[in-house]
Each structure stands twice: as structure tokens, then as C-alpha cells.
Amino acid sequence: MLLFIPDERVLLNRIRKMGLTRVFPILHHAAVLFPIHSTMALRHSLCKRTAILCYASLCTLQQTRSVSAETAISHHILNLTDREKRLLTKLYDGLVGGQRAALAESITLVETQHPRKKELAQVLLQRVLAFRQEQERCNGGKPAAFRVGLSGPPGAGKSSFIEVVGKMLTGREQKVSVLAVDPSSCTTGGSLMGDKTRMTELSRDMSAYIRPSPTSGTLGGVTRTTNEAIVLCEGAGYDIVLVETVGVGQSEFAVADMVDMFVLLIPPAGGDELQGIKRGIIEMADLVVVTKSDGELVGPARKIQAEYTSALKLLRKKSKVWKPKVVRISSQTGQGVPELWDTMLQFRDAMLSSGELQARRQTQQKVWMWNLIQENALRHFQQHPAVRAELPELERRVTCGDISPGLAADLLLKVFTTTL
């Protein structure tokens, strides 16, 4: 297709007469008809003033809901090298094509702390987000995937639960991805990464993808990498995204802000089970699952089910259309697993029909944004030259007891704000 470019003065006069509101749709159609390299060629073929005006108008289209993926990220890729462009194209094409290797490499890219690679990861994420939005639009506004968060104390049988549920779903021609948040050692920085060894059958299933992700010692790292990994898994065509956390603590609050449904798994052990789990965790749970309900543990499992059913009645309801339930299952025998999945589908349908699921995801996007702001603000504060110059002395005075930690923090913040 040939594109006629008029003289600069003629083009500027036409733009002024038409107005930017009428020019925007024309530029949008041009971005759709031509690939990004053609749009770039058009930009360079025009003289400078015209090019700036047209290209600024094209970038303004990002604010519209109908903007294409190429237009939305065009201002991000201006400084990319040819090698970086080829890498991103390869990852994106492989990802939306359902290639597991491309998904693994993409998640590795978003987990990196390298500044330049983090920029590349954001460009890739923008393209995947645009692709996912187009999928949801074609699906009538419904989310393309169902996100489920799983939590519970050590020994609750989370890995066994994921294995039996995952195999059942893949047998129903569903694609399942498992993102396991693995705590890193505060001493060595390493992680156990043992989830794949416990999910032997599911890890060999080609319709399933298991990815252990280290926390890197910070809760913010869990939030950023896990949330972005969810987006990549959805872009790769996975219908169900299971997010598993180890233990019951702060990371559960972070994961609950990423998923559509939060499931709490508890073992049928004796003792003060209700006191062993934070009330906030129970309040966040949309479903409580008593595991290992087989053999001699059937009796204790029924008792725990009754106790949690009574406890949930005393807590404030999180949803207007859903009342949290307590169910019993056995991962060893498979008893109760199909009924459990039916209950989870009932939750999804109820939340979708009421609009609460969409509202929850919108709220989670804002929480995600503020988590990233806090993480980046702390990093900038720690790396600020004036703060780094004053920090050793203030740390010494705090450890010696000369000044309080609060005063030291105020002094550092004052140094940071006055030298910006």
C-alpha cells in the first residue's frame, strides 16, 4: 500500500482545519494498518515540525480504550536496539503462541533487578496487557483466566492439593499454571524451590506449568514478580492460575491482593487451630478447605470443619453475594475434589454476575501500583547520595543508644527531602 505524504505546510494546514479530534481516528487507523516499523518510517520521512505534531497526536491515543498494542508502546521502544526489539518480538510471539520456553524466559525477565532489563520487561508487559484486554473484550468483558490464591500452614497438604486439582483440570482440557512463592533465606538469599519435586505428576503434564518464584527477602519482590507473572501466564493462554504461598504470614496479604479467590487450606490436627492462624487471614478467605480427610483423620476433619463454620459466622462478610464455606477433601483418595471445584466455579459465577470480580481486580490494580511506588521510593531513598553519606554515622549513634531510631529516621528523611 502506498502512502502519499504532502508538503509540510499543506499537511499542517490540513491538520489545523480538521482539528485533532478528527485527526486521531486517521492516525489510529494508520497505526493499525502499518506495523510499528512502518509508523517509524513515516515519522522519519516527515520533516521535523510535522513529525513531532503527528507523533505526539499518535501517542495521545494511548489514553483511549480502543488504542492498539503497537500504538500504546510506541513511545517506549524508540530507544531500543535492534537486538532488543528482536528479543521482545520473539518473547511476545512465543508467549501468545503458548510456548512454555517463551513463558519461562519472560518470567525470568520480569524477575530481574537489572535496570535495563526491567525496562524491557515493562515493554513486554504492556504488549501482553493489550493482548489480554483484547481477549477480554472478545469474551464479553469477562476475565480470560481464573486466579486462585492458596495458603495454609506448613504440612497442610498444599502441594498435594495442587497436584490432584491440577490433574483433574488438565484432564478436562484446561491449562493450569502454578506460581509458588518460595521464601528466600535471609542469610544466604537462596530458596528451596522444592515444589516441582512434590508435584511429580503435574510437573510432567504438558497442559500445566509450574514456576517457583523466590521472594528475594522482600515482600515487595513477591508482589511485583508474582503479579507480573500472573499477567504473563494469562497471556500464554492458561485458564487457571494457582498462586501458592508457604506458611501463614504477611505474604498471604500480598497474594490476596492479586487473585480472584483466596483459599485457606488447614490440616485436621488437634490443638488450638483457630489461634494458630491470624484472624486477618481467615477474614480474607473465600473458601476454607480441610485437607487429609481420610482414614483415621475423618473424625478430626469433621470437627475442624464445624469449628471453622462457626467461626466464619462471627466474622464480617467480605462479599455481598458470597458466603465463605468450609469443605473437606482428601488429596490421597480424591474424595470431595470435584465438589470443591464446583464450589469454586459457583464463587466465580456469582462474583462475575454481580460485578464484584471486576471491581476487585480494579482495586487490586491500584494496590499493585502503590506497592510498586513504595518499593521504588524506598530504593531511591536508600541510593540517594546524601542519605548514604549520613547513614553510617546515624546507624552507629542508634546502635550506641545516643539517639532514638525515630529521630534518626526523621534526620535522614530531612536530608533526603532538602537535597532533591
Side-chain angles (χ1 to χ4, degrees):
M1 179 181 293
L2 297 177
L3 183 66
F4 174 71
I5 304 298
D7 180 76
E8 176 195 4
R9 289 174 297 178
V10 176
L11 185 58
L12 285 173
N13 288 332
R14 289 182 182 177
I15 291 175
R16 292 192 185 99
K17 290 179 180 179
M18 293 176 65
L20 290 180
T21 56
R22 294 180 62 190
V23 173
F24 284 169
I26 298 174
L27 292 173
H28 172 60
H29 286 299
V32 173
L33 290 173
F34 298 98
I36 191 65
H37 61 269
S38 299
T39 308
M40 293 294 296
L42 170 63
R43 175 175 180 261
H44 289 298
S45 66
L46 298 173
C47 40
K48 188 173 181 181
R49 282 194 302 151
T50 311
I52 292 174
L53 176 59
C54 291
Y55 200 70
S57 302
L58 185 62
C59 290
T60 308
L61 285 172
Q62 297 169 41
Q63 301 172 4
T64 66
R65 294 183 63 182
S66 61
V67 67
S68 66
E70 298 294 349
T71 307
I73 65 170
S74 59
H75 71 290
H76 289 297
I77 69 173
L78 294 178
N79 298 323
L80 295 182
T81 64
D82 291 338
R83 182 179 179 182
E84 290 172 339
K85 291 179 182 179
R86 288 194 299 269
L87 172 64
L88 291 178
T89 302
K90 170 191 166 187
L91 290 178
Y92 175 77
D93 292 342
L95 190 70
V96 299
Q99 298 178 10
R100 293 157 60 96
L103 174 59
E105 192 173 351
S106 299
I107 295 179
T108 301
L109 184 64
V110 302
E111 287 179 347
T112 184
Q113 295 296 323
H114 190 277
R116 182 57 179 173
K117 290 183 178 180
K118 287 176 69 174
E119 293 178 2
L120 297 180
Q122 291 305 315
V123 175
L124 177 63
L125 282 167
Q126 289 300 320
R127 296 190 65 181
V128 175
L129 281 171
F131 174 75
R132 192 186 66 179
Q133 287 177 351
E134 183 65 21
Q135 282 185 316
E136 292 180 358
R137 186 184 66 82
C138 297
N139 198 30
K142 296 181 180 179
F146 185 32
R147 309 170 181 175
V148 180
L150 302 172
S151 178
K158 295 184 291 294
S159 298
S160 300
F161 172 82
I162 293 175
E163 169 115 324
V164 66
V165 172
K167 290 297 294 181
M168 181 192 69
L169 293 176
T170 56
R172 298 180 181 182
E173 297 184 352
Q174 299 274 342
K175 294 186 66 177
V176 181
S177 63
V178 180
L179 302 175
V181 179
D182 221 352
S184 301
S185 169
C186 297
T187 306
T188 63
S191 298
L192 182 60
M193 302 294 187
D195 295 273
K196 284 192 175 182
T197 62
R198 295 192 294 268
M199 306 175 194
T200 54
E201 294 294 330
L202 191 63
S203 61
R204 293 196 295 263
D205 196 322
M206 295 306 296
S207 296
Y209 177 78
I210 303 176
R211 174 77 180 204
S213 297
T215 64
S216 302
T218 60
L219 185 60
V222 175
T223 306
R224 179 179 64 85
T225 60
T226 306
N227 215 332
E228 294 174 348
I230 291 173
V231 173
L232 294 175
C233 289
E234 292 178 350
Y238 286 89
D239 307 298
I240 313 296
V241 181
L242 303 177
V243 184
E244 177 201 6
T245 59
V246 180
V248 178
Q250 286 298 109
S251 61
E252 275 63 28
F253 291 92
V255 171
D257 286 328
M258 306 177 196
V259 296
D260 303 326
M261 184 178 195
F262 188 73
V263 180
L264 177 63
L265 280 74
I266 52 174
D272 299 330
E273 290 82 5
L274 293 177
Q275 297 181 12
I277 298 178
K278 295 181 180 179
R279 172 175 173 171
I281 300 291
I282 302 175
E283 286 180 331
M284 289 190 303
D286 300 301
L287 183 66
V288 177
V289 179
V290 182
T291 59
K292 305 180 181 179
S293 179
D294 51 58
E296 297 179 354
L297 294 178
V298 172
R302 288 176 178 171
K303 180 181 177 182
I304 293 295
Q305 182 183 21
E307 290 178 356
Y308 270 86
T309 302
S310 301
L312 288 173
K313 293 179 181 179
L314 303 177
L315 301 179
R316 183 176 56 184
K317 291 180 62 176
K318 189 171 65 169
S319 169
K320 296 180 180 179
V321 298
W322 178 257
K323 181 180 179 181
K325 300 179 180 180
V326 184
V327 298
R328 292 182 295 111
I329 68 153
S330 171
S331 300
Q332 184 176 3
T333 64
Q335 183 179 0
V337 174
E339 293 79 6
L340 166 67
W341 181 245
D342 291 339
T343 303
M344 296 171 71
L345 291 181
Q346 291 174 12
F347 167 85
R348 185 183 66 176
D349 295 340
M351 297 291 283
L352 276 174
S353 60
S354 66
E356 286 191 29
L357 186 61
Q358 295 87 335
R360 178 179 291 192
R361 286 200 176 189
Q362 292 172 358
T363 303
Q364 290 172 353
Q365 293 297 314
K366 290 191 290 186
V367 172
W368 183 9
M369 181 189 72
W370 280 108
N371 285 338
L372 293 176
I373 290 174
Q374 292 175 7
E375 179 184 344
N376 291 328
L378 179 59
R379 188 178 69 253
H380 286 305
F381 174 79
Q382 293 172 335
Q383 295 176 352
H384 193 277
V387 173
R388 296 179 67 177
E390 297 289 337
L391 187 59
E393 177 61 20
L394 287 175
E395 284 183 337
R396 185 193 65 80
R397 297 180 65 185
V398 167
T399 55
C400 293
D402 295 339
I403 60 174
S404 67
L407 177 58
D410 291 340
L411 292 174
L412 287 173
L413 288 171
K414 186 177 181 180
V415 168
F416 178 72
T417 54
T418 55
T419 57
L420 284 177

